[in-house]
Amino acid sequence: MSIADNQVVQFHYTLRHGEELIETSAGKDPATYLHGHGNVIPGLEKAMEGKTVGDEFEVTVACADAYGERHEDRTQQMPIKHLQGAKRWKAGMVAMVKTDQGMRQVTIIKAGLKHATVDLNHPLSGKDLTFNIQIVDVREGTNDEIAHGHSHGVGGHHH
């Protein structure tokens, strides 16, 4: 079965920027997503189209098709109490912040006692990303998964 819209895809990956290892699923459950619903970055989803179980490939996704370009003017000061992920904050740390569009990652630029200056760019924005992919499983999405717009179960969303 070739990967197409409304199919649930399980895959292992290694993600690099240049020679820098960013993350890998090696030794863990495979990543899972519902194809055609924007659950992975656009460039990776496009590269997965038409692949089948057992396929292994490498793809470099330009920043425009990943997390976008960096915008140096996207900084903001916010109360420390809105930052999630640690009790004490230092420059360079990544925090989660609840927004109208859901949870979002921000990077701490400067942390004070009550406020922090944060970089609103995604930590991987402005970077071309290289993925090594191994397709583990492809199946039809269930009616519930398609209605919800994401996969359920191991590696997917849990309700």
Side-chain angles (χ1 to χ4, degrees):
M1 177 182 295
S2 295
I3 296 172
D5 287 354
N6 297 324
Q7 293 180 332
V8 174
V9 180
Q10 288 189 329
F11 66 100
H12 279 292
Y13 68 94
T14 298
L15 171 59
R16 288 186 163 75
H17 170 63
E19 296 300 313
E20 174 193 3
L21 174 66
I22 296 173
E23 66 182 30
T24 182
S25 66
K28 303 175 192 165
D29 286 334
T32 303
Y33 78 100
L34 181 62
H35 193 81
H37 290 262
N39 299 155
V40 296
I41 59 174
L44 182 57
E45 188 167 62
K46 184 177 179 182
M48 297 279 225
E49 187 88 24
K51 301 288 194 248
T52 60
V53 172
D55 283 353
E56 295 185 36
F57 63 97
E58 179 178 291
V59 60
T60 297
V61 178
C63 68
D65 292 324
Y67 295 97
E69 299 287 344
R70 283 193 58 75
H71 299 276
E72 296 306 321
D73 60 343
R74 289 192 182 160
T75 62
Q76 180 177 327
Q77 194 172 67
M78 66 177 45
I80 292 272
K81 67 182 180 182
H82 293 304
L83 304 176
Q84 298 178 22
K87 292 185 186 229
R88 299 182 65 137
W89 296 100
K90 296 179 186 173
M93 294 176 76
V94 176
M96 296 299 292
V97 177
K98 191 174 189 174
T99 72
D100 294 342
Q101 292 85 33
M103 297 303 284
R104 180 177 185 160
Q105 289 182 320
V106 298
T107 304
I108 309 300
I109 296 171
K110 182 180 177 185
L113 292 176
K114 295 189 179 203
H115 290 87
T117 303
V118 299
D119 179 349
L120 301 174
N121 288 290
H122 187 281
L124 296 177
S125 66
K127 294 182 178 182
D128 295 339
L129 303 173
T130 300
F131 292 86
N132 289 91
I133 302 291
Q134 176 191 21
I135 307 298
V136 175
D137 190 42
V138 179
R139 66 170 173 81
E140 293 293 331
T142 65
N143 290 337
D144 277 350
E145 289 171 322
I146 293 167
H148 293 168
H150 55 251
S151 65
H152 296 162
V154 175
H157 189 85
H158 300 278
H159 288 276

